[in-house]
Structures are given as C-alpha cells and as structure tokens.
C-alpha cells in the first residue's frame, strides 16, 4: 500500500517532504493560497513540507524568494536552499532569505580533502549558529555518511539510506546508522 502524507502522522512516522520549486512557482501570486487549500483539504501539517529552491535560482531572484519564504511561514511550511556552498554568495543568501534547511552541494559529500572537510565543518557551524539544519544529498556509502556525521550534518539523503521507491515504507525504527 502506498504511503500518503495525510495518513502518515497517525502511524507516528510522519515524513518531511522536500518539494522543488521553480522561480515560476515562487513568483505565482496564487501559489500560497493554493497550497493553503491543499494542506487543509488533505489534512497535511505544514511542517511536514519544505519547499526547496536552488541557489542558482535564489541568487537571481533574492527578493522574490525572500517574499515567498516569508509568505509560506504562516502555513507552517519551511524553506530549503539547495546546492549550497560556502562563500560570499552563500552568506549573502543566508543573510537575505528565511531559510530553515540548507542542502549542501554534492561536492561536500566526498570529503577526502582536508580543505573541503574544514570548509564543510565551518559551513555547518555557520548554519547551526543561524538555527538552520544541514542536509547532505547523494550519500552512497557508510564512509561518506560517517564523515558527514562527524562534520555535524543533521540529515543525509541518498541510496545509502534508501533507494528511491514508489511508497513511503521505510522503517525508521529498524534502521541503524
């Protein structure tokens, strides 16, 4: 049986879905009301959904993404900035946007170089100081997961955790990392 967001909370394993958003979605004047109606109609808690905008899109439309991020907060939705890397542009975006999660650039997943490891640790500290949580995508093996955990990353995604499937049947209680 396929998992449904509206039925998962009753099963005590409510997932958080990260939904990619285009700039067209961010700029759509009716989008917020449409989401409000869907959340209410399907009895989905807003905090079970995070709307994800890429750094590439955010840096070209900072004001639009900032407005969107503020407008989704009353619905309980969170904002994720994906493809995040350390540097001037990254800090500018963090200073300008109401971000709850940052999803790292895949370059941080392979932390074989000391300089990249240090940059990752510093980035995680910066995010945590601002009350943000850090997600590492595309984690494929235990070695990578261990390096990311030791750097302070909050969540990992990828085939190491579970391969993509058509349902939400992952048993979080039985998994050990």
């Amino acid at each position: 049986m396929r998992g449904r967001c509206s039925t998962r909370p009753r099963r005590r394993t409510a997932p958080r879905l990260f939904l990619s958003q285009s700039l067209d979605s961010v700029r759509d004047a009716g989008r917020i009301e449409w989401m409000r109606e869907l959340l209410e109609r399907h009895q989905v808690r807003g905090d079970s959904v995070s709307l994800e905008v890429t750094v590439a899109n955010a840096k070209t439309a900072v004001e639009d993404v900032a407005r969107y991020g503020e407008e989704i907060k009353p619905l309980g939705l969170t904002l994720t900035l994906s493809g995040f890397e350390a540097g001037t542009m990254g800090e500018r975006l963090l200073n300008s946007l109401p971000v709850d999660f940052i999803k790292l650039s895949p370059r941080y997943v392979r932390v074989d170089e000391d300089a990249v490891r240090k940059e990752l640790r510093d980035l995680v500290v910066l995010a945590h100081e601002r009350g943000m949580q850090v997600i590492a995508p595309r984690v494929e093996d235990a070695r990578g997961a261990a390096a990311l955990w030791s750097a302070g990353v909050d969540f990992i995604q990828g085939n190491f955790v579970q391969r993509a499937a058509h349902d939400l049947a992952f048993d979080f209680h039985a998994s050990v990392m």
Side-chain angles (χ1 to χ4, degrees):
M1 180 170 147
R2 292 179 186 232
R4 294 178 48 124
C5 284
S6 60
T7 60
R8 296 294 287 189
R10 286 178 235 142
R11 295 170 62 190
R12 296 185 340 167
T13 56
R16 174 174 278 131
L17 299 178
F18 291 82
L19 306 176
S20 297
Q21 303 293 291
S22 68
L23 282 181
D24 287 341
S25 295
V26 167
R27 292 174 172 149
D28 181 351
R31 178 71 57 169
I32 302 298
E33 186 55 35
W34 176 77
M35 285 188 285
R36 179 189 330 277
E37 290 171 6
L38 283 176
L39 291 170
E40 289 175 5
R41 182 177 329 130
H42 296 286
Q43 299 177 354
V44 174
R45 291 174 38 161
D47 63 357
S48 68
V49 177
S50 189
L51 302 177
E52 188 172 315
V53 178
T54 65
V55 166
N57 283 340
K59 71 182 180 184
T60 65
V62 174
E63 289 180 17
D64 292 335
V65 175
R67 177 194 43 77
Y68 186 71
E70 292 300 334
E71 289 177 351
I72 67 173
K73 297 299 179 189
L75 301 178
L77 301 168
T78 58
L79 183 64
T80 298
L81 191 58
S82 67
F84 192 85
E85 293 190 15
T88 306
M89 177 53 68
E91 285 205 41
R92 183 175 150 245
L93 290 173
L94 293 185
N95 288 334
S96 303
L97 303 175
V99 174
D100 301 287
F101 296 91
I102 59 171
K103 186 182 289 188
L104 299 172
S105 164
R107 81 181 198 91
Y108 292 108
V109 174
R110 303 202 46 78
V111 290
D112 297 333
E113 299 173 29
D114 288 340
V116 175
R117 265 196 305 274
K118 181 179 180 343
E119 187 176 301
L120 173 60
R121 281 192 302 273
D122 292 347
L123 197 155
V124 169
V125 167
L126 175 69
H128 288 166
E129 286 173 349
R130 294 169 182 238
M132 300 169 191
Q133 294 184 299
V134 180
I135 304 165
R138 301 183 188 176
V139 178
E140 299 295 323
D141 56 40
R143 182 173 170 253
L148 293 161
W149 289 132
S150 69
V153 167
D154 298 292
F155 302 101
I156 60 172
Q157 295 175 323
N159 289 333
F160 177 68
V161 178
Q162 180 182 15
R163 294 201 181 278
H166 292 285
D167 60 19
L168 300 174
F170 186 74
D171 185 356
F172 291 92
H173 298 291
S175 67
V176 177
M177 299 267 181

